[in-house]
Amino acid sequence: MSIHVRFFASLREQLGVREQCLEAEGIETVEDVWKRVNPKLSLPEHVLTAVNMDYADVNSLVKDGDEVAFFPRVTGG
């Protein structure tokens, strides 16, 4: 099976991809997901992450069938 990865807002524009499916084999954490999708780009500090629509950190575990989302922090005034 696979892990569904989604990118939002300016991050989606920067990477040029809205979503992607990855083979789950060899992926254990949110950080592993990022490295698989963007092997040459470090995860920016300002990026928030979620697993199955719950906030997560880069060390959060992921498993086959999960959805992992990356999105920039939002500020307002």
Side-chain angles (χ1 to χ4, degrees):
M1 296 251 313
S2 62
I3 296 170
H4 187 83
V5 186
R6 299 182 71 184
F7 301 95
F8 293 92
S10 60
L11 189 57
R12 176 183 66 225
E13 294 169 10
Q14 176 188 1
L15 298 173
V17 63
R18 178 180 300 247
E19 56 188 66
Q20 187 172 357
C21 285
L22 302 176
E23 190 64 39
E25 186 175 333
I27 295 177
E28 295 182 8
T29 66
V30 170
E31 186 173 28
D32 292 340
V33 171
W34 178 267
K35 287 178 181 179
R36 177 80 59 91
V37 174
N38 302 291
K40 296 180 182 180
L41 183 64
S42 297
L43 182 65
E45 290 183 33
H46 67 278
V47 171
L48 296 174
T49 61
V51 176
N52 299 323
M53 298 184 167
D54 288 323
Y55 284 112
D57 65 37
V58 295
N59 297 314
S60 295
L61 298 176
V62 295
K63 62 186 181 312
D64 191 30
D66 282 350
E67 177 186 81
V68 177
F70 296 94
F71 49 99
R73 294 183 191 266
V74 178
T75 60

